[in-house]
Amino acid sequence: MIKLSVVKKLKYESAAIYFLLATFFTGCASVRVREEVKFPIQKLYVNNKAYYPLSEVCNYLRLECEYDTISRQISLRKADTQVKLLIDSSMALVNGSPLDLEDTVIIASGIVCVPVKFKAAVVDRFYCEVPAQEAPAYAITARIRRVVVDAGHGGHDPGAIGRTGLREKDVNLDIARRLASLLGNRGIEVVLTRSVDTFITLEGRSAIANRANADFFISVHSNSARTSRLNGFEVYYITEKVDDYSRALTAAKNADLDFESASFYHTTLDLKATLWDILYSQNRAEAIVLAQNICQSASRSMGVKILGVKGARFSVLRGTRIPAVLVEVGFLSNPTEERYLRNGFYRQQVAESICDGLINYSRQYDLASASYK
Ligand SMILES: [Zn+2]
């Protein structure tokens, strides 16, 4: 409905386009000398094209933002300037007048991204009042205050064991501790389900998560498969609807095999249409977005093969009420990945990827929450 009305509006206004273009070139420039807005926002690259994450643009410029999930239209407003954007369209409407952004507005891994032209075409002209105070570098603490980090297995349960004897419980614990320290540095409180080599039941882990009153539960595991050639990084979002643990595990194992041919980007494409619709009503949706962000940062910083983002009904979080993801950091059954995971530098990179994924998630959440005020 809204999409149609935009098209209609454009048609009606096309006759007056010269007038409107003339109006454009006044804008902010008429009241102040045109100057480049200081723009401390890092570019994102998707298919070798540069974009700005819209959530950060809005945070920085203090723009009100609304996203209509049905029309896939985004409205930005500050003072009396309204900008409308449409996902997959290269056109912006500024107070109803069309403007070419040269590239399309996209959703990449759940993050709304605007082409770099957006800055020169829209920000410098229409939102050139720089905020008096710079926004903080990370708007993370407002949303994510506390995270439960769960190192899988422990004590008499070693988890998977690599060919050279590397034990999953040790790898998981080391990465979990590194992650805890990275998150701590960002001002995020961390509750570790275990900080030493001890056994905790799945119910016990769940109870810790509930008591912690945390925003997220991140479980760290290392993978294993019957075939040694299987390798890669994958993230599960965990649903709570569990009544049969062994069935869930079987399903997860079958999913492992499917993942070999699956592409993270295809998953993203499938999800992106429905992602925003459910973002605020379901923990699962939050977990999906976090899982995607973690995969993306792992792919970017480690160049690791991404096997997929997939739902699994693990019982690890039976009865918990917070969004949860389970990161499988690599296959101990694969000799190369076992060698990598033995290396502390590599484990640090894994922890950094998970941390970055969480921070990117948070930035994106800010845009989304702005739209649901
Ligand atoms: Zn495990």
Side-chain angles (χ1 to χ4, degrees):
M1 283 272 281
I2 300 175
K3 191 175 176 180
L4 283 176
S5 73
V6 170
V7 174
K8 213 160 107 188
K9 204 170 176 186
L10 276 177
K11 196 173 148 199
Y12 291 146
E13 285 174 353
S14 63
I17 195 154
Y18 291 111
F19 169 76
L20 290 165
L21 278 174
T23 319
F24 265 11
F25 289 108
T26 58
C28 294
S30 65
V31 289
R32 1 175 341 157
V33 177
R34 172 93 64 87
E35 59 185 67
E36 281 232 330
V37 174
K38 214 169 106 208
F39 213 51
I41 295 171
Q42 262 199 323
K43 289 171 189 153
L44 273 176
Y45 290 85
V46 180
N47 296 330
N48 294 323
K49 283 185 186 169
Y51 296 87
Y52 292 116
L54 187 58
S55 58
E56 290 186 44
V57 175
C58 292
N59 273 344
Y60 179 64
L61 298 169
R62 313 265 160 92
L63 303 180
E64 272 177 52
C65 176
E66 279 178 25
Y67 181 79
D68 186 299
T69 55
I70 295 163
S71 64
R72 308 182 82 212
Q73 183 177 281
I74 298 162
S75 303
L76 310 174
R77 179 183 283 281
K78 189 176 172 185
D80 52 5
T81 303
Q82 190 187 50
V83 175
K84 291 197 171 189
L85 303 167
L86 198 58
I87 303 295
D88 296 330
S89 164
S90 60
M91 192 182 65
L93 292 178
V94 182
N95 291 338
S97 308
L99 186 60
D100 184 15
L101 298 177
E102 292 175 6
D103 272 309
T104 58
V105 176
I106 60 166
I107 298 183
S109 301
I111 301 175
V112 177
C113 299
V114 291
V116 284
K117 180 76 198 271
F118 182 82
K119 180 182 177 290
V122 177
V123 176
D124 291 346
R125 284 184 192 164
F126 302 100
Y127 293 125
C128 50
E129 287 294 328
V130 183
Q133 291 174 337
E134 283 193 17
Y138 295 107
I140 185 159
T141 44
R143 166 62 192 151
I144 297 178
R145 293 157 291 112
R146 192 175 297 148
V147 172
V148 176
V149 177
D150 173 51
H153 310 276
H156 66 75
D157 170 17
I161 298 178
R163 277 151 204 243
T164 68
L166 187 61
R167 297 178 302 187
E168 183 191 346
K169 65 173 184 177
D170 300 325
V171 172
N172 299 346
L173 180 59
D174 182 76
I175 292 171
R177 281 173 167 167
R178 289 172 190 269
L179 176 59
S181 138
L182 288 168
L183 293 172
N185 292 343
R186 302 274 191 169
I188 298 170
E189 283 177 56
V190 176
V191 176
L192 283 162
T193 52
R194 67 179 180 100
S195 55
V196 292
D197 182 16
T198 183
F199 178 77
I200 305 172
T201 62
L202 296 176
E203 292 73 20
R205 292 169 200 262
S206 188
I208 292 168
N210 277 341
R211 269 202 310 271
N213 187 27
D215 301 301
F216 266 109
F217 180 96
I218 299 177
S219 191
V220 178
H221 283 255
S222 313
N223 230 329
S224 181
R226 279 189 293 276
T227 160
S228 65
R229 65 192 166 81
L230 200 56
N231 68 89
F233 185 102
E234 62 193 6
V235 182
Y236 292 91
Y237 54 90
I238 303 169
T239 66
E240 297 166 26
K241 298 172 203 128
V242 177
D243 46 29
D244 186 294
Y245 181 53
S246 62
R247 200 178 67 193
L249 274 187
T250 308
K253 277 175 188 154
N254 290 338
D256 277 353
L257 299 175
D258 293 338
F259 282 172
E260 225 175 345
S261 58
S263 147
F264 161 57
Y265 295 100
H266 283 127
T267 310
T268 303
L269 283 176
D270 292 339
L271 287 171
K272 79 175 186 184
T274 54
L275 210 51
W276 290 90
D277 294 344
I278 56 180
L279 192 56
Y280 294 91
S281 55
Q282 294 182 29
N283 284 346
R284 189 166 62 89
E286 292 194 20
I288 291 169
V289 181
L290 177 61
Q292 289 180 322
N293 277 295
I294 292 172
C295 278
Q296 205 183 37
S297 64
S299 166
R300 201 166 38 219
S301 63
M302 300 197 294
V304 69
K305 179 176 164 193
I306 303 298
L307 295 175
V309 171
K310 191 109 178 177
R313 285 171 289 190
F314 288 112
S315 73
V316 64
L317 271 198
R318 190 199 300 265
T320 54
R321 292 176 296 276
I322 57 175
V325 296
L326 188 146
V327 186
E328 292 278 9
V329 298
F331 282 80
L332 287 173
S333 48
N334 177 275
T336 308
E337 291 205 332
E338 185 187 9
R339 199 173 65 242
Y340 287 165
L341 288 168
R342 203 177 263 289
N343 183 309
F345 179 71
Y346 187 83
R347 294 195 301 269
Q348 181 69 20
Q349 281 194 302
V350 172
E352 280 174 12
S353 293
I354 299 171
C355 178
D356 288 349
L358 193 72
I359 281 156
N360 289 336
Y361 163 87
S362 176
R363 288 173 178 170
Q364 162 189 351
Y365 190 94
D366 289 337
L367 164 65
S369 60
S371 73
Y372 277 77
K373 268 177 194 159

